[in-house]
Amino acid sequence: MKASTLMYLMLMGILFALGLLLLQQTVFGRLHVIEDETDIRNQSDSSIPTELVVTHRSWGEQRIEDGSEVERITRLLKQMKTAAKRDCPAGQTTFTGTLRFLNGTTWSFTLGEHMTLNGRCVAAQPVSQTAMLKARLLNAYHTPGQLAKQLGQAEKVTLFDAGRSRELTREERRTLQRQIEKAEPMTDYEEVGRILDDSDTRRVLQIARVGQESGKRDQLMNLTIHDTLFSVQYMDDDNGNTFYLKGMLSVKSKEAER
């Protein structure tokens, strides 16, 4: 190889190395600090939501893993993000949540008597929007695994049948937990209607998260048992939504007491 060619290659290599070093210092090595909360929210607008974790004051933490549902909830939050003032009036909080985006930004929110987003009180919105958001968050708790968990943690589970009632034993509750875990959500409401029309039995299981406060509706969940399905209704759902699961729950009522 000629000396001139060798010198040329060496020079090009040095220039290439210097170029990479300059690029690292000016682009990749630059730390960009976002100090404006509005900038954080605006950057999230163009990013993809990746994770949503919510905590209900009575029913605990739940991770929403359905990507389509996370996207729907994110759209609702984006519609509500206008801030009216720094602090909300005092009031009870039902939900707290954390929403993470692909670009690393995070939103936090609370929902109850008032709603906050990223620490700010959300401007007045139609009641239908906050009610829809609350209903969607409640739906996250209507999964077989979550229902089985709540049944196991409840302080009191009562069976109501034909005007009589009794509390379930621990063994009965463990059996029901296993049966609920095998259930499957139903979205074909024509099939639901047919089963309900043909069902001769109708018993109600009331799950009280805190036994001594069972009179408070935010602590209660009702499971209505039919022949081959059961429905779930959280009593603090202002929309009165009912969730259906396919499965047979075997619980005897012959020992029920008034």
Side-chain angles (χ1 to χ4, degrees), residues 23-204:
L23 182 64
Q24 182 182 21
Q25 293 297 320
T26 58
V27 179
F28 297 107
R30 180 182 300 167
L31 177 63
H32 181 56
V33 179
I34 301 175
E35 297 180 349
D36 191 338
E37 183 181 330
T38 302
D39 287 345
I40 295 175
R41 294 202 302 268
N42 290 340
Q43 286 205 7
S44 301
D45 282 346
S46 59
S47 186
I48 300 172
T50 58
E51 183 182 52
L52 176 58
V53 179
V54 295
T55 302
H56 187 278
R57 69 172 184 264
S58 299
W59 304 96
E61 182 180 285
Q62 175 72 334
R63 188 180 305 273
I64 301 178
E65 299 178 339
D66 184 331
S68 298
E69 184 65 6
V70 172
E71 182 62 40
R72 284 190 285 267
I73 292 173
T74 301
R75 286 199 298 269
L76 274 174
L77 289 174
K78 288 179 178 179
Q79 293 169 9
M80 300 175 179
K81 72 175 185 177
T82 304
K85 51 188 175 181
R86 175 63 64 178
D87 299 315
C88 275
Q92 190 174 48
T93 296
T94 302
F95 284 102
T96 59
T98 301
L99 176 64
R100 293 184 174 85
F101 293 86
L102 186 61
N103 65 0
T105 56
T106 301
W107 285 9
S108 60
F109 64 89
T110 65
L111 178 61
E113 295 180 33
H114 308 284
M115 181 174 174
T116 67
L117 182 58
N118 295 325
R120 286 180 174 267
C121 197
V122 172
Q125 299 286 344
V127 175
S128 59
Q129 285 187 321
T130 52
M132 185 183 301
L133 178 59
K134 184 178 180 181
R136 289 202 173 279
L137 296 178
L138 285 172
N139 282 343
Y141 290 81
H142 287 171
T143 66
Q146 184 65 227
L147 290 174
K149 176 182 175 181
Q150 299 304 336
L151 181 65
Q153 294 180 349
E155 288 194 10
K156 185 178 181 182
V157 180
T158 306
L159 172 67
F160 296 88
D161 184 16
R164 307 173 75 88
S165 66
R166 70 176 178 88
E167 288 191 36
L168 266 60
T169 66
R170 282 289 173 185
E171 182 58 36
E172 288 175 317
R173 289 167 61 166
R174 282 192 288 269
T175 299
L176 283 174
Q177 279 182 269
R178 292 191 291 269
Q179 293 172 343
I180 289 174
E181 287 172 346
K182 296 177 182 178
E184 297 180 357
M186 298 184 68
T187 56
D188 185 344
Y189 290 101
E190 289 187 5
E191 181 183 4
V192 170
R194 289 194 299 270
I195 295 176
L196 294 182
D197 288 341
D198 296 337
S199 179
D200 295 327
T201 60
R202 184 179 182 276
R203 292 164 290 166
V204 175

